[in-house]
Amino acid sequence: MVTPPPDPYGDLFIYYLKGCLASDSAIADRSFIGNWEEDGYSFLFFKRSSLQIIESLTSQQPHLKLLDKFQMSYEQWQGGPVLPIQIGRIHVIPPWLKTSTHMDCLPEQTDRDEKKPIEILLDPGVVFGTGTHPTTRHCIEAIQMLASRTSIGTAIDIGTGTGLLAIAAVKLGCKRALAIDLNHLAVRTAAENIHLNRLEEKVLAVQGSADIFVDLPSDLVISNIHYDVMKRLLKRDRKWSAKYAILSGLLRSQATKVEVLMKQVPITLLEKWETNGTWYSYLGRISNGLQ
């Protein structure tokens, strides 16, 4: 058995800080991977121990405080090995495994086959969204189902993470897609994956709030997001401007509440997915959307 090539990250050195770096902060160290900021806290990721860099940052920016530091493997951070996976026609492949023996299990692609497999190269970096989570799989299945029934001209992927769902939508025939995330590291990671798949002319990664972008006219809104954000979007007075919606990322108790809120938009349920009675996703047609 041939051992697959290792991921390019190895061990991660993670520094958890209270506070956000100044906007003009620049970490030029080659081992620096990125900075995840959320709710006034920062997670700085490096490929090697970088405590001196952190100490320099906290001395120059007194509002920053180092709360904790961690060292773990890339697999531990991602919750398991990052390997090629298949979801219907979509085959998600880490670029460092593109030529490995893991590819032997994928069907051969032929131009004559209308149902040929579709490859997506995906380097998640330290952002979550490899395609292994049940709700991500639900979303890709929902996009495939919708694309087989109707033409999708434009799509908006809210909470894009790695950009996987926006890329999948375009690979399945959507002409243009916006990949939206509030987190700048997610946007950067999505942009890198868009470049990996040579889709810069069709997919644009943008940092911004879901509340703003859900108002844009589109054929499809994909929202695999936190329940609190989805609840806020569904409760707004403004009408959604899309024709279809994929709502995902929901636990059972949250899904029951979302089904009620969908009727208020109104969104007509077309298909429902659930995994182990825990994770739920929906595909629906928006009655007040652009027709």
Side-chain angles (χ1 to χ4, degrees):
M1 180 177 179
V2 179
T3 302
D7 65 72
Y9 297 98
D11 275 4
L12 297 175
F13 295 81
I14 308 166
Y15 299 89
Y16 175 37
L17 285 77
K18 182 178 181 180
C20 297
L21 275 64
S23 58
D24 60 352
S25 298
I27 301 176
D29 192 273
R30 296 176 69 179
S31 72
F32 180 58
I33 298 171
N35 173 22
W36 183 276
E37 294 182 354
E38 190 165 342
D39 297 328
Y41 293 85
S42 301
F43 292 85
L44 274 65
F45 296 84
F46 293 82
K47 293 182 181 180
R48 62 175 175 81
S49 178
S50 303
L51 188 57
Q52 284 187 324
I53 294 174
I54 301 300
E55 290 174 343
S56 176
L57 278 172
T58 54
S59 68
Q60 294 171 19
Q61 302 181 41
H63 68 283
L64 296 176
K65 180 181 179 182
L66 178 62
L67 299 177
D68 210 342
K69 57 184 186 293
F70 311 91
Q71 178 181 353
M72 65 181 72
S73 71
Y74 185 63
E75 285 190 7
Q76 286 175 312
W77 174 256
Q78 287 290 353
V82 179
L83 299 171
I85 62 168
Q86 178 179 348
I87 308 167
R89 294 177 61 200
I90 296 291
H91 299 277
V92 185
I93 306 160
W96 58 88
L97 293 178
K98 171 67 176 174
T99 58
S100 80
T101 53
H102 283 84
M103 297 300 299
D104 293 343
C105 64
L106 300 185
E108 183 180 354
Q109 298 190 40
T110 64
D111 292 336
R112 294 188 302 272
D113 185 1
E114 293 181 357
K115 295 185 178 180
K116 68 181 181 181
I118 297 171
E119 290 185 1
I120 295 178
L121 293 177
L122 192 82
D123 183 349
V126 293
V127 175
F128 300 116
T130 61
T132 56
H133 194 276
T135 59
T136 308
R137 299 180 70 93
H138 294 168
C139 286
I140 291 179
E141 289 172 3
I143 297 168
Q144 291 181 84
M145 176 178 290
L146 186 61
S148 70
R149 297 178 178 180
T150 188
S151 174
I152 306 173
T154 55
I156 301 173
D157 177 19
I158 296 173
T160 194
T162 60
L164 173 57
L165 298 180
I167 292 169
V170 167
K171 288 273 192 173
L172 286 162
C174 177
K175 294 179 175 61
R176 295 284 187 276
L178 274 176
I180 312 299
D181 208 292
L182 194 58
N183 190 285
H184 67 87
L185 181 57
V187 173
R188 194 186 82 187
T189 302
E192 290 170 353
N193 284 316
I194 291 165
H195 175 71
L196 265 180
N197 291 277
R198 301 178 182 177
L199 292 176
E200 294 93 335
E201 294 185 1
K202 293 188 175 183
V203 188
L204 178 64
V206 179
Q207 184 176 4
S209 168
D211 299 82
I212 298 172
F213 287 94
V214 76
D215 288 329
L216 295 178
S218 66
D219 291 312
L220 172 65
V221 169
I222 308 163
S223 52
N224 187 7
I225 55 178
H226 194 278
Y227 167 68
D228 289 339
V229 179
M230 186 179 297
K231 178 175 67 174
R232 186 176 73 240
L233 294 177
L234 290 171
K235 281 187 170 183
R236 297 183 330 151
D237 292 333
R238 295 182 185 178
K239 297 177 181 178
W240 286 35
S241 298
K243 295 179 181 179
Y244 297 91
I246 295 170
L247 309 179
S248 189
L250 302 165
L251 293 167
R252 182 172 57 238
S253 59
Q254 299 167 345
T256 301
K257 296 172 184 176
V258 164
E259 286 187 26
V260 174
L261 292 172
M262 286 169 63
K263 296 175 183 177
Q264 299 174 16
V265 173
I267 298 175
T268 302
L269 180 63
L270 299 178
E271 195 71 33
K272 176 179 177 179
W273 287 261
E274 65 89 11
T275 298
N276 300 326
T278 302
W279 294 107
Y280 288 75
S281 304
Y282 302 95
L283 169 64
R285 182 174 57 249
I286 303 173
S287 299
N288 286 335
L290 299 179
Q291 300 299 323

